């Protein structure tokens, strides 16, 4: 057996990261396109010194205990880390890292894509071309809402929220409202943005886009009462995490035209079952969690995850730490 540190990588990630890890570590990569089952994950982490994990891997006390005292670092291949019990990692002396910034533009672009698609009735319009429903140019079909000069509400004006707000301001001259834990004077100055309470943001915005992390505080932040505060012409976009929305309440709101439409990159659960009632709604666009899915972002994430693992194994501070 080699005396190199053992690292388990729970999915195939770009070579840019794997090659770096392989220079210094014994690396096992889970080769299948679906995540390892829980019992398999527990089996694989046993005796590992480092882990590269995906948002689908729950890293909790049980995983840390099973991995054993040799585990030094968990590098999440994502910026969100709601799948990791960070407090338990701290207790076990395990460093935790993530992959911020490199995926910001890619994810902000998907938020913009969903905003446009949901605003312009993309789902039924594109389907009508394929299924023969498109009979002629029709003056009253697929009437959407326009973006120029409207108000966008950004829930969570962090890295991705700000990049999305810049697109809205620069591209369509939108007014920007936002919520965040702390004021953002740069955004107020550069984008003419205004920090408001969530209720005001929901009531005033023509477009609401979610960019906060999933925490106990943000779980089901957008529930039935929140949806009822939105304009009937409003479009809701979620590229954050599925659980930030009460999905049953969203389904009811879309069906009853409480809001105009929604664009979702993230759902509960993932994958969304093909018989989900959301998929029957013409005013809902759903993507399979592709926010960071560009070659640039995923390659950069792989390098950052490898850098985190190598630093953690060497006992150095992680270059991209969580918390
Ligand atoms: P970030 O820079 O940490 O931004 C998060 C923002 O949310 C911060 O501005 C924070 O405020 C704010 N916030 C925290 N709690 C809040 C609350 N209760 N209400 C309102 N705002 C709140 O993170 P990021 O890099 O932009 O990423 C944001 C999230 O996007 C990630 O956590 C992840 O879940 C999701 N994401 C999804 C994809 C995808 O593929 N769809 C890709 C990347 C990321 P302060 O700045 O004042 O603390």
């Amino acid at each position: 057996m080699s005396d190199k540190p053992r690292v388990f990588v729970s999915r195939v990630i770009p070579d840019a990261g794997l090659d770096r890890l392989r220079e210094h570590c014994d690396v096992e990569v889970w080769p299948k396109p679906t995540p390892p089952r829980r019992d398999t994950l527990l089996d694989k982490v046993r005796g590992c010194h480092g882990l590269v994990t995906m948002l689908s891997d729950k890293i909790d006390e049980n995983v840390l205990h099973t991995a054993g005292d040799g585990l030094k670092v968990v590098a999440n291949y994502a910026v969100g880390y709601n799948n990791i019990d960070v407090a338990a990692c701290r207790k076990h002396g395990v460093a935790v890292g993530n992959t911020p910034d490199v995926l910001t533009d890619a994810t902000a672009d998907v938020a913009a894509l969903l905003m446009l698609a949901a605003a312009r009735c993309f789902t039924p319009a594109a389907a009508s071309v394929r299924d023969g429903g498109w009979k002629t140019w029709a003056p009253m079909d697929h009437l959407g809402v326009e973006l120029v000069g409207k108000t966008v509400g950004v829930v969570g004006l962090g890295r991705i929220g700000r990049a999305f707000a810049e697109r809205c301001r620069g591209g369509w001259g939108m007014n920007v409202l936002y919520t965040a834990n702390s004021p953002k004077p740069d955004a107020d100055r550069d984008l003419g943005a205004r920090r408001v309470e969530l209720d005001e943001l929901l009531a005033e915005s023509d477009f609401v886009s979610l960019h906060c992390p999933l925490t106990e505080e943000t779980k089901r932040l957008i529930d039935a009462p929140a949806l009822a505060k939105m304009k009937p012409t409003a479009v809701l976009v979620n590229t954050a995490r599925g659980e930030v929305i009460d999905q049953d309440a969203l389904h009811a709101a879309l069906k009853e035209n409480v809001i105009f439409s929604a664009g979702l990159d993230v759902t509960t659960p993932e994958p969304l079952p093909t018989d989900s009632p959301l998929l029957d709604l013409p005013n809902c666009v759903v993507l399979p969690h592709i926010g960071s899915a560009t070659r640039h972002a995923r390659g950069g994430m792989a390098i950052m995850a490898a850098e985190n693992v190598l630093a953690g194994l060497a006992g150095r501070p992680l270059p991209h730490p969580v918390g």
Side-chain angles (χ1 to χ4, degrees), residues 101-113 115 152 154 156-172 176 178 187 191 209 211 239:
D101 297 317
V102 72
L103 43 53
T104 291
D105 283 324
T107 310
D109 285 348
V110 167
L113 164 75
M115 178 171 66
V152 64
V154 179
L157 198 84
R159 290 170 291 241
I160 299 169
R162 160 115 196 188
F164 174 72
E166 285 170 0
R167 284 154 174 74
C168 293
R169 183 74 179 167
W172 298 286
V176 178
Y178 68 94
L191 304 176
S209 192
H211 298 283
T239 58

Side-chain angles (χ1 to χ4, degrees), residues 256-268:
E256 290 153 22
N257 301 314
V258 173
I259 63 171
F260 182 71
S261 63
L264 311 175
D265 186 44
V266 288
T267 57
T268 312

